[in-house]
């Protein structure tokens, strides 16, 4: 159980149904954002993938962090489709690998694992900050979490700082010009719309804060 | 929405079931989904795998067969397939000479094929990939996802399929695929849009008297929206940007591919082809080969695309080589 300092595999496993739940609540909004600058399937694809991941985790019963990452990553990759599948899949795969073959993570380890996941998204998608992508929510979140950790924040403080930074980063995508993905075909017409990937990324961190250090 | 379907969720699977019943030369695997030559793997031959969102039939499943693709991975309508499909297809066609992935340049397709190639490499299969990006409507720049892969994909699959069938090795087939991509250019246009079954309404709206020049095969926006014009004017709007991007010298030969976006009939494609031929004659370009028909459509969208491939002798010979697939078949 979450005790405020340690993140166990059970906490991680609890994170996924909560993520699935908030994705479900926001699915229409995600699809609406995606129809403005993409192909109108982000909400549908994420909802389908998250539901499948919940079932896959229940069946896999992972005993360590690496096993958790692998189980969810393979399911997300094979069910989400589009660009989001490989990006979210890479996130969980790297998170698991960095988290290691222990049943829990302590102190700075959870943040290091989250950071490895975000770096995996960056190298898979070859995007940079300001390109109007998931990274515009995730990179500021990692920076905020590292800062909070350095200031001696509790795990709950650290994750909350990450969620707040992700939300701010998500809103900051609104005036950006898209340089990656389908939205980039729109050029100037992509300006004035919030990025759907940055939005689901904020939900990823929000659900993490709610379940890993409640 | 009026469509000949049973349920939107079943569109892709039921179409695959129909293909399987219609073509005994193909085998269809449903979990994960891919279409494969019934005689795969062909020992000692480079395997060729492609794939992409559904809704562009016959691409890619209709191009599976002798002299073209060994396997094709269909995604949901206009959605990339996933790496597990590509991995299983790659394994199924590996005859020991390696496998080439032919990938259209869309972010989802590229990322999913990259993951599949990494997984296949981990399984000890020699995999190379070529990304096709021939759509001149999109400015190629590091500030975008780059040019989209469209009509040249069909030509690359045919030419590389022939090379693999002739026993060329993986490096040679890959080089050829890159050469086809480097010498192929396309531009498309749309009259009315198409309707994705799961969306239930048109992907974009055009006024009764409007057309979109430079449209993508998923209804992505093009270069400009203008009043509907004559076939002669449309042909010029499509051919001129192609020639501006890849100029032809007097006497150079081209393969001209006039493609229907799905809803435009052959009679109109021939009118367009006639106009294209006149324009190219003025430029001194010889049309050495042609392909006319709905080979990379966008569901039932009305409109057409033009692809020009600057031919050399090797590409011409491979284009003419025997092919036996549901959608392209000659020489057999």
């Amino acid at each position: 159980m979450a005790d405020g300092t340690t993140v166990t595999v059970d906490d991680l496993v609890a994170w996924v149904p909560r993520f699935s739940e908030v994705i479900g609540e926001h699915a229409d909004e995600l699809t609406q954002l995606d129809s403005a600058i993409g192909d109108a399937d982000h909400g549908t694809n994420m909802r389908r993938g998250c539901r499948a991941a919940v079932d896959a985790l229940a069946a896999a019963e992972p005993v360590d962090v690496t096993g958790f990452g692998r189980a969810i990553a393979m399911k997300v990759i094979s069910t989400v489709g589009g660009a989001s599948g490989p990006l979210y899949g890479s996130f969980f795969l790297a998170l698991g690998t960095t988290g290691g073959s222990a049943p829990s993570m302590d102190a700075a380890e959870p943040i290091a694992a989250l950071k490895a996941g975000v770096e995996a998204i960056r190298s898979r998608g070859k995007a940079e900050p300001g390109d109007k992508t998931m990274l515009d929510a995730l990179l500021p979140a990692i920076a905020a979490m590292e800062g909070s950790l350095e200031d001696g924040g509790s795990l709950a403080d650290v994750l909350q700082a990450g969620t707040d930074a992700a939300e701010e980063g998500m809103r900051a995508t609104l005036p950006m010009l898209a340089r990656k993905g389908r939205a980039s075909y729109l050029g100037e017409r992509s300006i004035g719309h919030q990025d759907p990937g940055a939005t689901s990324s904020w939900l990823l961190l929000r659900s993490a804060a709610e379940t890993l250090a409640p | 929405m009026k469509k000949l379907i049973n349920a939107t969720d079943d569109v892709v699977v039921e179409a695959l079931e129909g293909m399987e019943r219609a073509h005994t030369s193909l085998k269809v695997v449903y979990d994960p989904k891919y279409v494969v030559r019934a005689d795969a793997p062909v020992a000692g031959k480079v395997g060729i795998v492609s794939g992409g969102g559904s809704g562009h039939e016959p691409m890619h499943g209709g191009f599976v067969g002798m002299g073209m693709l060994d396997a094709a991975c269909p995604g949901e309508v206009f959605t990339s397939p996933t790496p597990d499909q590509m991995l299983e297809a790659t394994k199924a066609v590996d005859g020991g000479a390696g496998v080439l992935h032919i990938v259209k340049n869309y972010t989802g397709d590229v990322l999913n094929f990259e993951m599949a190639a990494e997984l296949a490499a981990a399984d000890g299969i020699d995999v190379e990939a070529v990304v096709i990006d021939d759509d001149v409507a999109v400015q190629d720049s590091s500030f975008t996802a780059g040019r989209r892969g469209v009509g040249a994909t069909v030509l690359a699959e045919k030419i590389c399929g022939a090379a693999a069938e002739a026993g060329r090795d993986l490096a040679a087939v890959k080089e050829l695929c890159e050469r086809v991509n480097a010498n192929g250019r396309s531009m498309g246009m749309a009259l009315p849009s198409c309707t994705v079954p799961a969306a239930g309404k048109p992907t974009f709206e055009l006024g009764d008297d409007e057309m979109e020049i430079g449209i993508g095969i998923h209804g992505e926006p093009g270069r400009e929206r203008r009043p509907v014009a004559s076939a002669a004017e449309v042909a010029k709007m499509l051919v001129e940007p192609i020639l501006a991007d890849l100029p032809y010298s007097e006497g150079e030969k081209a393969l001209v591919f006039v493609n229907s976006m799905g809803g435009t009939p052959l009679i109109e494609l021939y009118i367009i082809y006639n106009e294209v031929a006149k324009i190219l004659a003025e430029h001194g370009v010889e049309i050495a080969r042609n392909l006319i028909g709905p080979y990379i459509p966008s569901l039932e969208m009305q409109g057409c695309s033009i692809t020009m491939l600057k031919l050399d002798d090797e590409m011409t010979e491979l284009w003419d080589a025997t092919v036996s697939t549901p959608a392209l078949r000659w020489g057999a």
Side-chain angles (χ1 to χ4, degrees):
Chain A
M1 280 303 293
D3 64 4
T5 56
T6 301
V7 174
T8 66
V9 171
D10 288 345
D11 298 334
L12 291 168
V13 169
W15 173 19
V16 179
R18 180 59 190 150
F19 181 44
S20 179
E21 200 173 21
V22 294
I23 284 289
E25 287 163 10
H26 290 262
D28 289 346
E29 181 195 338
L30 292 172
T31 290
Q32 219 162 23
L33 291 171
D34 196 29
S35 70
I37 57 170
D39 51 357
D41 62 3
H42 191 54
T44 323
N45 289 349
M46 288 299 292
R47 183 169 52 197
R48 180 179 62 238
C50 287
R51 282 181 185 162
V54 171
D55 294 344
L57 275 180
E61 296 180 6
V63 293
D64 58 37
V65 181
T66 302
F68 160 81
R70 190 165 298 162
I72 180 170
M74 296 320 288
K75 203 64 197 176
V76 164
I77 288 166
S78 65
T79 52
V80 175
S84 305
L87 292 169
Y88 274 105
S90 298
F91 169 84
F92 283 111
L93 204 58
L95 181 152
T97 307
T98 302
S101 54
S104 65
M105 299 184 283
D106 289 309
E109 288 173 356
I111 308 310
L114 287 170
K115 183 178 187 175
V118 172
E119 286 303 324
I121 290 176
R122 186 179 192 158
S123 65
R124 173 68 58 199
K126 299 175 188 72
E128 291 302 323
D131 285 350
K132 199 181 184 97
T133 71
M134 301 164 74
L135 288 179
D136 292 308
L138 293 171
L139 288 172
I142 296 297
M145 288 192 281
E146 287 180 332
S148 171
L149 198 64
E150 226 165 90
D151 296 342
S154 69
L155 186 59
D157 296 339
V158 169
L159 290 171
Q160 191 54 50
T163 304
D164 294 344
E167 186 174 5
E168 201 178 312
M170 163 190 91
R171 299 203 192 288
T173 61
L174 205 122
M176 288 178 184
L177 175 79
R179 289 178 176 162
K180 286 284 169 192
R182 202 161 280 192
S184 70
Y185 301 136
L186 287 164
E188 301 279 333
R189 283 185 274 173
S190 66
I191 292 172
H193 299 280
Q194 183 172 307
D195 183 61
T199 309
S200 60
S201 296
W202 163 61
L203 295 173
L204 177 76
L205 289 178
R206 206 186 89 186
S207 56
E210 288 166 352
T211 48
L212 302 185
Chain B
M1 175 177 66
K2 285 197 270 190
K3 282 187 190 286
L4 292 174
I5 61 175
N6 294 312
T8 54
D9 285 346
D10 301 335
V11 167
V12 172
V13 166
E14 290 184 357
L16 287 173
E17 287 172 355
M19 276 195 83
E20 186 179 29
R21 287 177 195 271
H23 307 291
T24 52
S25 60
L26 304 181
K27 193 173 101 184
V28 178
V29 176
Y30 291 92
D31 188 22
K33 290 194 265 301
Y34 63 94
V35 179
V36 62
R37 277 171 72 155
D39 60 351
V42 181
K45 187 185 90 66
V46 170
I48 303 187
V49 175
S50 191
S54 294
H56 309 297
E57 291 70 23
M59 188 182 75
H60 296 273
F63 299 140
V64 173
M66 199 278 285
M68 214 161 165
L69 296 178
D70 291 270
C73 307
E76 290 300 311
V77 174
F78 292 0
T79 297
S80 167
T82 53
D84 51 327
Q85 294 172 262
M86 299 155 185
L87 174 64
E88 291 308 316
T90 300
K91 286 186 195 165
V93 306
D94 178 33
V99 177
L100 179 71
H101 289 171
I102 299 181
V103 185
K104 300 194 298 303
N105 190 32
Y106 299 95
T107 305
D109 292 48
V110 171
L111 295 186
N112 282 285
F113 266 105
E114 270 178 18
M115 290 208 93
E118 288 166 18
L119 295 168
D123 281 350
I125 301 176
D126 208 359
V127 179
E128 293 284 355
V130 174
V131 176
I132 304 290
D133 57 349
D134 57 311
D135 189 348
V136 301
V138 177
Q139 296 299 321
D140 192 10
S141 129
S142 55
F143 298 115
T144 69
R147 286 182 166 170
R148 302 175 290 232
V150 285
T153 314
V154 178
L155 312 183
E157 291 176 359
K158 165 65 186 86
I159 289 170
C160 295
E165 208 70 54
R168 310 252 176 111
D169 66 18
L170 181 57
V173 178
K174 182 190 180 192
E175 184 278 323
L176 189 63
C177 196
E178 286 167 342
R179 183 143 43 102
V180 171
N181 186 46
N183 286 285
R185 296 287 188 282
S186 299
M187 181 91 169
M189 59 81 61
L191 296 156
S193 168
C194 56
T195 298
V196 175
K201 56 181 187 195
T203 305
F204 59 93
E205 296 286 353
L206 275 174
D208 279 349
D209 51 356
E210 283 183 320
M211 61 181 182
E212 179 103 12
I213 296 287
I215 194 83
I217 55 170
H218 312 92
E220 304 95 325
R223 283 192 176 184
E224 54 178 339
R225 198 163 277 199
R226 349 179 10 137
V228 171
S230 68
E233 288 166 305
V234 167
K236 201 165 158 29
M237 286 176 217
L238 300 182
V239 171
E240 293 296 349
I242 291 174
L243 292 176
D245 201 84
L246 184 67
Y248 280 64
S249 310
E250 185 86 26
E252 281 191 304
K253 293 176 182 176
L255 187 164
V256 170
F257 166 27
V258 177
N259 171 60
S260 169
M261 287 298 190
T264 288
L266 204 46
I267 190 171
E268 293 175 28
L269 297 187
Y270 277 115
I271 295 172
I272 291 285
Y273 181 79
N274 190 40
E275 296 300 335
V276 172
K278 285 190 236 171
I279 296 167
L280 293 182
E282 283 168 23
H283 284 83
V285 178
E286 181 191 335
I287 304 182
R289 297 290 184 275
N290 66 68
L291 181 69
I292 301 167
Y295 293 101
I296 169 172
S298 183
L299 292 170
E300 75 283 20
M301 191 191 287
Q302 278 183 37
C304 72
S305 65
I306 292 168
T307 300
M308 286 179 65
L309 172 64
K310 193 179 281 192
L311 284 171
D312 58 28
D313 291 344
E314 186 186 18
M315 286 192 247
T316 310
E317 189 185 309
L318 291 166
W319 177 259
D320 291 342
T322 301
V323 61
S324 180
T325 70
L328 281 190
R329 184 184 294 257
W330 56 70

